[in-house]
Amino acid sequence: MDGACTALTLGVTMAAKADTWQGGWGDTQGYLHSAATLLVGPLVAAASCWQGARDHRRSTTELWLSTPRARSARVVVAALPLALWAVAGYLVVLVASLLATWPYAGGGSPFPSFAVADCAFLLAVGLLGFAVGQRCRWRLAPPALAVLLYLAFGVPDYMDSPALYLNPAWQYELTGTLPVWWFAPAMVAWTCGLALAALLGHAARRRFLAVVPLAVAVAAAGFIAHTGPGLLRADPARDRVVCTDGTPQVCLNALDGALLPQASQALSGLFERLDGVPGAPVRYVDHEVREGSGELQLSMPARGWASCATG
């Protein structure tokens, strides 16, 4: 049920704004990342918190303590399904969103690193919410936890500090950029390390074991905060130019190379009117031009539905 709710929430959110993200891989995963962390994350935590508190509501806590099964194993077995179903719901919407983007996207490709980081985040908030529910008997704990996490993830966006990049809901600019190779492992270690430390601190017989995942999380946090904006680097394709044949030429960066036919067709009327005119541009480009180069700068090409409509 939790997976269905996750898929439905993300699906409706993505469908409502399809015209803003369907034009490129970065736009698609950036919007899905925002929805998964800011909207679905707190809801998953609240649902897990409610599930974790069911023993308190049923007054079966002492009964479970009398069973021979280790408490840590019982807690993990109870907490994992809810979190994993949330991840499954996310993956369903991710695949559907990428398939919807594929006909409109230009160059580049999806970002597996961000998909892994988002899945780890949903898994982490699910485990954390369950641990809170086990420890707290207050019936309003689930909605209170959801509000608290929403504020924790949303408010730091308006601050200026390297620690902002520790926020799993930080909004990255994915157009024309690529994450560093260790982005996904670092984010998994950071988010899941904290959640596992909380779960072990609550359920393990040897609670000092929680220090291990906590140390891993702190080490990952150091890498993330120290790197800051360097978590994303410029995509080499953004500075690589591809052009049409003949004269005049239309040149775009490699990320927008798929739009060359549409751009040429849109400019064909202009080419005909300027044919044979002295001093007419010999190349139409989407980057800054040098004086006397014979180039004319184009406005940025429209991606997505707009560019397909011009074709």
Side-chain angles (χ1 to χ4, degrees):
M1 185 65 181
D2 191 59
C5 291
T6 299
L8 180 62
T9 303
L10 284 176
V12 171
T13 303
M14 295 295 289
K17 295 289 185 178
D19 57 336
T20 66
W21 55 261
Q22 205 171 350
W25 304 116
D27 297 328
T28 299
Q29 286 195 255
Y31 195 80
L32 181 60
H33 170 73
S34 300
T37 52
L38 284 174
L39 181 61
V40 174
L43 296 179
V44 171
S48 298
C49 183
W50 179 261
Q51 182 76 2
R54 64 180 179 177
D55 290 341
H56 297 314
R57 295 193 302 272
R58 297 174 179 177
S59 300
T60 57
T61 304
E62 294 183 1
L63 177 63
W64 281 113
L65 291 176
S66 64
T67 62
R69 192 174 189 179
R71 182 186 182 188
S72 57
R74 177 170 50 83
V75 170
V76 169
V77 169
L80 270 180
L82 201 67
L84 291 176
W85 274 115
V87 171
Y90 167 86
L91 290 176
V92 168
V93 178
L94 172 66
V95 172
S97 299
L98 295 180
L99 289 176
T101 301
W102 177 73
Y104 306 102
S109 61
F111 299 84
S113 298
F114 276 86
V116 172
D118 288 344
C119 289
F121 166 77
L122 293 175
L123 182 65
V125 294
L127 298 179
L128 179 64
F130 192 89
V132 172
Q134 290 262 296
R135 302 291 295 185
C136 183
R137 301 191 178 191
W138 187 34
R139 285 187 173 271
L140 294 180
L145 179 62
V147 172
L148 182 63
L149 288 180
Y150 181 81
L151 294 176
F153 296 146
V155 171
D157 282 355
Y158 302 99
M159 302 179 184
D160 186 15
S161 168
L164 285 177
Y165 293 91
L166 297 176
N167 181 7
W170 178 253
Q171 306 304 299
Y172 297 92
E173 177 53 57
L174 297 180
T175 301
T177 59
L178 293 172
V180 294
W181 67 268
W182 51 266
F183 176 84
M187 293 305 296
V188 170
W190 166 235
T191 55
C192 291
L194 288 180
L196 188 57
L199 202 64
L200 288 176
H202 158 65
R205 180 172 298 178
R206 299 179 178 86
R207 295 185 178 180
F208 66 87
L209 293 176
V211 174
V212 176
L214 183 61
V216 172
V218 171
F223 277 107
I224 295 170
H226 177 72
T227 306
L231 290 170
L232 297 182
R233 58 182 177 84
D235 190 340
R238 187 178 60 181
D239 299 321
R240 181 161 50 87
V241 178
V242 293
C243 302
T244 57
D245 297 327
T247 303
Q249 290 183 314
V250 179
C251 298
L252 302 175
N253 69 76
L255 288 176
D256 294 319
L259 298 178
L260 278 175
Q262 291 96 321
S264 297
Q265 182 177 354
L267 293 171
S268 60
L270 178 63
F271 294 163
E272 293 176 0
R273 289 195 295 271
L274 293 180
D275 186 26
V277 176
V282 297
R283 178 179 292 185
Y284 296 80
V285 299
D286 65 348
H287 55 262
E288 293 185 6
V289 301
R290 303 183 307 274
E291 187 175 354
S293 63
E295 297 178 340
L296 179 67
Q297 185 177 13
L298 298 169
S299 60
M300 288 300 294
R303 294 183 174 93
W305 292 0
S307 60
C308 285
T310 62

